[in-house]
């Protein structure tokens, strides 16, 4: 697949009209019949999410932490594949594994000195590219990390606003 040819008209359009490159993605959570689960609508698909088993969920659906790590894994995987293809780096297999640790005592509010959220996240890239040069692999790593949207967002968090409304 020729990624450069596929992306060329998009890049040309964005250079001509920079405003056309700006997008807004939206995800919407919805209530289900139990406080331990919800629906997540990303506009193209509807997912069921559930509280982690460690805080009372059944463990049969993805928890929000799974979804966060999954978003990072998907973005890193796709970015690495696209960069390798665009750079002409011959790969046999690319696989990205993301894992993270957290202490549920913080989430459950039983230890005030324990943070809520992930303490550490690891992204492991396994690239099988026996014909690639060390320079190509170094460039693949640099460009993948540079252009992975979710990784860069997590490394440099954006401003986040919360708003509350009521339906009375």
């Amino acid at each position: 697949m020729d990624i450069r040819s596929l992306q060329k008209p998009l890049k040309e359009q964005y250079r001509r009209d920079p405003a056309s490159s700006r997008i807004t993605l939206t995800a919407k959570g919805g209530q289900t019949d139990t406080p331990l689960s919800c629906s997540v609508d990303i506009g193209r698909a509807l997912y069921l999410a559930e509280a982690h088993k460690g805080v009372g969920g059944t463990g049969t659906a993805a928890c929000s932490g799974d979804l966060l790590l999954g978003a990072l894994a998907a973005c890193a995987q796709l970015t690495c594949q696209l960069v390798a293809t665009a750079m002409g780096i011959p790969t046999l297999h690319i696989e990205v594994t993301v894992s993270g640790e957290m202490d549920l005592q913080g989430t459950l509010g039983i230890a005030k000195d324990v943070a809520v959220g992930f303490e550490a996240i690891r992204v492991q890239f396994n690239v099988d590219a026996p014909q690639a040069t060390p320079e190509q692999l170094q460039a693949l790593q640099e460009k993948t990390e540079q252009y992975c949207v979710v990784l860069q967002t997590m490394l440099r968090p954006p401003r986040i606003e919360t708003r509350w409304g009521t339906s009375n």
Side-chain angles (χ1 to χ4, degrees):
M1 176 179 287
D2 184 2
I3 299 299
R4 290 181 193 264
S5 293
L6 182 68
Q7 292 179 343
K8 184 179 180 183
L10 296 169
K11 290 181 177 184
E12 289 172 356
Q13 175 187 338
Y14 301 155
R15 284 184 185 109
R16 270 193 325 272
D17 179 14
S20 70
S21 69
R22 300 194 57 81
I23 64 170
T24 299
L25 300 177
T26 301
K28 185 175 184 177
Q31 189 172 351
T32 60
D33 60 353
T34 171
L36 292 170
S37 69
C38 70
S39 62
V40 180
D41 184 348
I42 61 166
R44 294 167 298 287
L46 188 66
Y47 296 93
L48 177 67
E50 180 179 84
H52 188 274
K53 193 172 185 175
V55 297
T58 65
T60 59
C63 74
S64 54
D66 294 325
L67 296 172
L68 178 70
L69 297 181
L72 178 54
C75 191
Q77 180 77 39
L78 289 168
T79 303
C80 191
Q81 290 171 187
L82 286 163
V83 169
T85 302
M87 294 178 71
I89 298 173
T91 62
L92 299 176
H93 184 74
I94 298 171
E95 182 178 78
V96 176
T97 304
V98 179
S99 58
E101 284 86 36
M102 72 173 73
D103 187 335
L104 295 176
Q105 292 180 83
T107 300
L108 289 173
I110 59 175
K112 301 293 182 202
D113 60 331
V114 175
V116 176
F118 285 99
E119 299 165 347
I121 295 176
R122 286 175 309 289
V123 183
Q124 174 66 49
F125 290 84
N126 290 312
V127 179
D128 185 2
Q131 295 178 354
T133 67
E135 294 79 18
Q136 285 177 311
L137 293 174
Q138 180 64 34
L140 177 61
Q141 177 183 345
E142 289 171 4
K143 295 296 185 192
T144 296
E145 291 179 11
Q146 178 183 358
Y147 293 116
C148 179
V149 171
V150 177
L151 176 63
Q152 288 301 317
T153 300
M154 294 176 82
L155 290 171
R156 294 172 189 83
R159 179 185 70 253
I160 298 177
E161 301 172 20
T162 60
R163 297 182 191 153
W164 289 72
T166 59
S167 301
N168 296 20

